[in-house]
Structure formats: C-alpha cells, structure tokens
Amino acid sequence: NAGVMQNPRHLVRRRGQEARLRCSPMKGHSHVYWYRQLPEEGLKFMVYLQKENIIDESGMPKERFSAEFPKEGPSILRIQQVVRGDSAAYFCASSRPGLDEQFFGPGTRLTVL
Amino acid sequence: GIQVEQSPPDLILQEGANSTLRCNFSDSVNNLQWFHQNPWGQLINLFYIPSGTKQNGRLSATTVATERYSLLYISSSQTTDSGVYFCAVGTSGNTPLVFGKGTRLSVIA
C-alpha cells in the first residue's frame, strides 16, 4: 500500500516563474491537506480539500496561490509569480473520511532563485 | 485558535539515555499526533494518540486530554533518533493540524 506521493521532490524556480506541486493521496483517502514549512520552523496549514471541493483555505495567501483536487488525478498546489519568500518545504497529507489521522508525503522542497 | 507548546526546544542526549518530550495544548482536541522529522526532512508518523497510552518499541506516548498535555518517551536512545519531534493537534473531525515548534533532539555516540 503506497504512501502519500509528492512530486517533484525538489523544484528550482526563478523569481516570477510558476511552481506546480503534485500530491497523490493514499489509496482510499479522499481528504488532502497542504502544509508549508519555512526553514527552521514548524509546519503551517495552508489548504484542506476533498475531491472537487476546497473545504478550508484559511491558511493560504490570498494572492498567487491556488489549489485543486480534481475528480481524477492528483491534488495540485500552484504558486504563480514566485518570490524568494516562497522558498520552503511543502508537505501534503491525506486522511480517510471520518478518521482523523493524517499521513504525510515526503515533501517538495521549493527553491526560488 | 488553539496553541501548541512543546518543551524542551532542544535536547542533547548520550546514546542509551532516556528522555521525555512534552506537548501542551490550549483547548480540547479530537486528534493528537506525534511525528519525527528525520535529518533528510521526512515526516514519520509515530503515534496517533488523542487520549490514553500507546507503545511502539522504544517509544511510548501518553495523552491526558483532560489536563491538555501529551508526553513522548524515548528509551535507550540511538543516534538514529536524532531529528525534530513535532506534536500536532486537531480540534474536530478531519480538521487541519496545528503544529508545535518541535523539540530538536541530538543523540551523540
């Protein structure tokens, strides 16, 4: 049973470019969460999605960031016009409906030059 | 929102020593998880423990929900235990986790 998968594992972008981060939840999990970890800090919640629905995006910056979890395929976190402050590790987690335990992917480390 | 405080922030141990890490939280929780972030940055699930006591090998955890704290015990520490230990809580079903700032553990041979 494969765990949560994220790709790419490392992503380098220049300022102004777009970054697309992908997350495939564990089999049977329909809840997806995105978290961001800045250097030397804990993880901070960004957005919570179920299939085709954004449930809670209270942690996501209002501009340049968007997320989706389509009926088919992985969840995507999209960052437009990246800036140096977006450099961080982005983790995806998934859980089953009605069960609270979240399982985390290996993360995508984004570096903005 | 709920506050999560972990202590100590840093801990250095000699290999073979035991340790206790603490997590205090400011409100009732439905979910409490302990994670180990290894030196490569990967988050490893250690325990899902909103209440009660669990053990897994050299690690055990206890959550006293009524007093709003959880403890993670590491016995006979090994160098591979090094990394950052995070406590994270959720306040209702399937809600996002709120993380503490972590305890950075270094185990030296």
Side-chain angles (χ1 to χ4, degrees):
Chain A
N1 188 14
V4 178
M5 299 177 69
Q6 290 188 248
N7 67 80
R9 296 289 303 276
H10 299 273
L11 183 61
V12 178
R13 285 288 178 265
R14 296 191 180 279
R15 280 179 295 169
Q17 292 184 320
E18 179 180 287
R20 281 186 180 236
L21 288 60
R22 295 175 185 77
C23 168
S24 295
M26 288 177 69
K27 187 176 181 180
H29 289 199
S30 58
H31 297 243
V32 165
Y33 312 79
W34 286 92
Y35 296 84
R36 177 165 65 175
Q37 184 178 30
L38 295 171
E40 304 299 319
E41 293 190 11
L43 279 75
K44 297 279 174 56
F45 164 72
M46 299 182 72
V47 61
Y48 164 33
L49 310 103
Q50 295 176 22
K51 285 284 188 183
E52 299 185 281
N53 285 304
I54 296 175
I55 307 302
D56 181 352
E57 56 182 347
S58 59
M60 200 146 74
K62 294 286 184 283
E63 297 180 356
R64 301 188 298 108
F65 286 72
S66 62
E68 63 176 5
F69 188 16
K71 187 176 180 181
E72 302 291 338
S75 176
I76 306 285
L77 179 67
R78 182 182 178 204
I79 310 172
Q80 294 178 289
Q81 298 176 326
V82 295
V83 300
R84 289 222 173 102
D86 296 332
S87 294
Y90 291 83
F91 288 91
C92 167
S94 71
S95 67
R96 288 183 182 274
L99 296 179
D100 294 327
E101 188 174 9
Q102 295 183 23
F103 295 85
F104 281 74
T108 293
R109 274 130 191 99
L110 172 65
T111 301
V112 179
L113 302 177
Chain B
I2 192 167
Q3 305 296 314
V4 181
E5 292 187 1
Q6 292 186 243
S7 59
D10 297 279
L11 187 59
I12 300 174
L13 294 177
Q14 202 74 36
E15 199 170 26
N18 303 329
S19 63
T20 301
L21 282 57
R22 188 177 179 100
C23 171
N24 292 334
F25 43 96
S26 61
D27 205 345
S28 300
V29 298
N30 275 26
N31 182 3
L32 191 145
Q33 293 183 241
W34 282 97
F35 299 92
H36 175 214
Q37 188 166 39
N38 64 23
W40 296 270
Q42 292 183 313
L43 272 173
I44 312 297
N45 283 47
L46 296 178
F47 294 102
Y48 168 73
I49 188 165
S51 64
T53 297
K54 290 186 178 179
Q55 180 155 10
N56 184 2
R58 296 182 295 103
L59 302 181
S60 63
T62 295
T63 297
V64 184
T66 52
E67 297 187 21
R68 299 182 182 169
Y69 73 88
S70 183
L71 301 174
L72 177 69
Y73 305 97
I74 305 174
S75 64
S76 304
S77 57
Q78 301 175 359
T79 56
T80 52
D81 294 332
S82 296
V84 183
Y85 289 80
F86 288 106
C87 168
V89 302
T91 54
S92 57
N94 287 120
T95 54
L97 293 172
V98 177
F99 280 75
K101 293 186 176 181
T103 292
R104 183 174 298 276
L105 175 65
S106 299
V107 181
I108 53 179

